[in-house]
Amino acid sequence: MPSVRDRQARFATYVVYGVQGLSFASLLIQVANLQAKHRLDEGTLTLLLLIVPVFAGVGSVAAGAFAARVGSRLLLRVAQPVVAAAVVLAGLAPDLALLVPALLVFGVAVGAVDAGMNMQGVAVERRYGVEVLNGFHCVWSALGMAAALWASAAAGLPLELVMALPMVLAVAGSLYAGRHLCAPEEEKVPAVAEVAGRLPWRPIVPLCLAMGFLYVGDAAVSNFNTVFMKDVLEAGPRVIPLAYVAYQAATLAVRLGGDLAVRRHGPAAVVRIGGVLAALGFLGVVLAPNQVLGIVAFGLTGVGLSVVAPQSFSAAGRLDPAGTGLAIARVNLFNYVGFVVGAALVGGLADVADMRVAFAAPLVLAAAIVALAPGFEPKRARSAA
């Protein structure tokens, strides 16, 4: 039975995931407004958007080294308020000279928090002895949707105010959670501390590849779903956003029951099924003859892709029995690798061919996740480690 302290740490971790979802979405959904405010052309905007995943990768790598020494709680207590501050600064920035540094700081801090919160999630899962990571990612998705609803309801207010107000809640949540997260001695496992720092790459590679392939697909949907709906399926302004709503709603719905599915069927089976469904979803996008089936197809990609990230982090935690967080930081790095590659790959194919052909790339990579599923099996992972 989990102790009172375990439940306290679990609730604090829910808060951290929620704050991260709220903060990330509060910036992401304002990209078009920031573009209009600073009169950016498409090329400049693309370069600015690449700042975030590139420097997030730097932040994730640094977080692994930092947390291995002092734990992820201190990392989160420092980095998560910085994320909120960077969102506010991005909204306030009067020109590119201040917007670029704000995005750079946001990227580094987001990468650090992504790694740190998953270290906490794995620590809580280890203490509970059952799968709980899907629940944390579910809260991330829910608060991201809340940020989008706030932006919709607050349309017409000054951009600076729309971006700043949610960050008051974010900072308050971060300050509360920071006191109750797992301490370093609760994250690490002294009995196996002698293996710390000697984590082989080989058993982690399938998890890294699956994470990268997942985020190629996520980048394709996040960056190009509106273009696909508008230019390929000729959707109107009221219909265009429904593709992304379907994607996020499906992600949230699956994560609500994801932990139960993993406990019953095992992580490898869940990831395998997820890869199949994601590939079918992208096939549906490529072949979609009308708007309704296009929206359904985007939702199906969310069903399939949503299970991969939580299981990647959970499996990485099993490969790091000392609880150093190094394996999680390595896997988290491929989040940003996949996002950068996905944006460039799909955008490049769309330029040289068309948008339907472009979505065939994440289709192939989603199918490849099926072949990587055995790397998520606990028994095989432990044997490899």
Side-chain angles (χ1 to χ4, degrees):
M1 288 290 293
S3 66
V4 173
R5 173 67 189 119
D6 291 337
R7 290 193 290 270
Q8 184 184 56
R10 184 178 184 180
F11 182 76
T13 307
Y14 277 128
V15 174
V16 168
Y17 274 80
V19 167
Q20 181 74 336
L22 179 68
S23 302
F24 186 77
S26 292
L27 180 63
L28 181 65
I29 60 181
Q30 298 297 345
V31 168
N33 289 328
L34 290 171
Q35 181 182 23
K37 176 181 178 179
H38 297 285
R39 300 177 182 177
L40 306 174
D41 58 40
E42 295 298 328
T44 303
L45 178 64
T46 300
L47 290 175
L48 287 178
L49 291 178
L50 286 176
I51 288 176
V52 174
V54 169
F55 281 91
V58 174
S60 181
V61 172
F66 184 89
R69 295 186 177 185
V70 299
S72 60
R73 182 169 70 176
L74 178 59
L75 171 71
L76 288 168
R77 298 188 76 171
V78 173
Q80 194 151 55
V82 173
V83 172
V87 172
V88 175
L89 291 175
L92 292 173
D95 51 39
L96 283 180
L98 291 179
L99 179 61
V100 170
L103 292 178
L104 190 156
V105 171
F106 178 82
V108 173
V110 157
V113 173
D114 277 349
M117 72 183 188
N118 283 296
M119 293 174 196
Q120 285 287 323
V122 167
V124 171
E125 186 172 80
R126 185 182 290 119
R127 294 176 69 85
Y128 267 70
V130 295
E131 291 77 9
V132 297
L133 269 179
N134 275 290
F136 295 136
H137 285 264
C138 179
V139 173
W140 187 98
S141 298
L143 268 290
M145 292 180 68
L149 292 173
W150 157 250
S152 176
L157 294 177
L159 178 62
E160 297 82 359
L161 187 63
V162 175
M163 295 180 68
L165 284 180
M167 295 305 96
V168 175
L169 180 61
V171 171
S174 179
L175 293 177
Y176 162 79
R179 296 176 297 166
H180 304 296
L181 294 169
C182 289
E185 62 273 14
E186 295 171 313
E187 286 186 84
K188 293 179 171 59
V189 184
V192 292
E194 66 272 9
V195 303
R198 301 202 307 272
L199 296 174
W201 268 98
R202 185 175 179 179
I204 301 176
V205 167
L207 312 180
C208 294
L209 291 176
M211 180 69 83
F213 295 165
L214 152 66
Y215 277 99
V216 168
D218 184 76
V221 175
S222 299
N223 291 328
F224 299 105
N225 76 90
T226 56
V227 177
F228 186 90
M229 292 296 294
K230 178 177 180 292
D231 294 345
V232 178
L233 299 182
E234 300 179 344
R238 292 181 181 273
V239 177
I240 288 173
L242 295 182
Y244 194 64
V245 170
Y247 177 74
Q248 287 290 359
T251 297
L252 177 59
V254 171
R255 285 176 173 172
L256 281 170
D259 289 326
L260 293 177
V262 173
R263 293 170 198 170
R264 182 170 182 176
H265 302 291
V270 169
V271 170
R272 188 178 294 111
I273 294 170
V276 171
L277 293 177
L280 290 174
F282 282 116
L283 180 62
V285 172
V286 171
L287 300 177
N290 55 53
Q291 297 166 15
V292 173
L293 291 180
I295 292 169
V296 171
F298 277 111
L300 187 57
T301 64
V303 172
L305 294 178
S306 62
V307 301
V308 179
Q311 295 316 306
S312 295
F313 290 120
S314 183
R318 290 191 294 270
L319 291 172
D320 180 15
T324 66
L326 290 174
I328 293 171
R330 291 177 184 178
V331 170
N332 189 61
L333 175 63
F334 283 78
N335 169 345
Y336 314 112
V337 172
F339 202 87
V340 171
V341 171
L345 180 61
V346 176
L349 287 173
D351 285 339
V352 300
D354 60 45
M355 191 56 69
R356 289 188 187 272
V357 172
F359 271 94
L363 187 166
V364 173
L365 295 179
I369 292 174
V370 177
L372 297 169
F376 291 78
E377 190 66 39
K379 292 181 180 179
R380 295 189 182 187
R382 282 196 294 267
S383 297

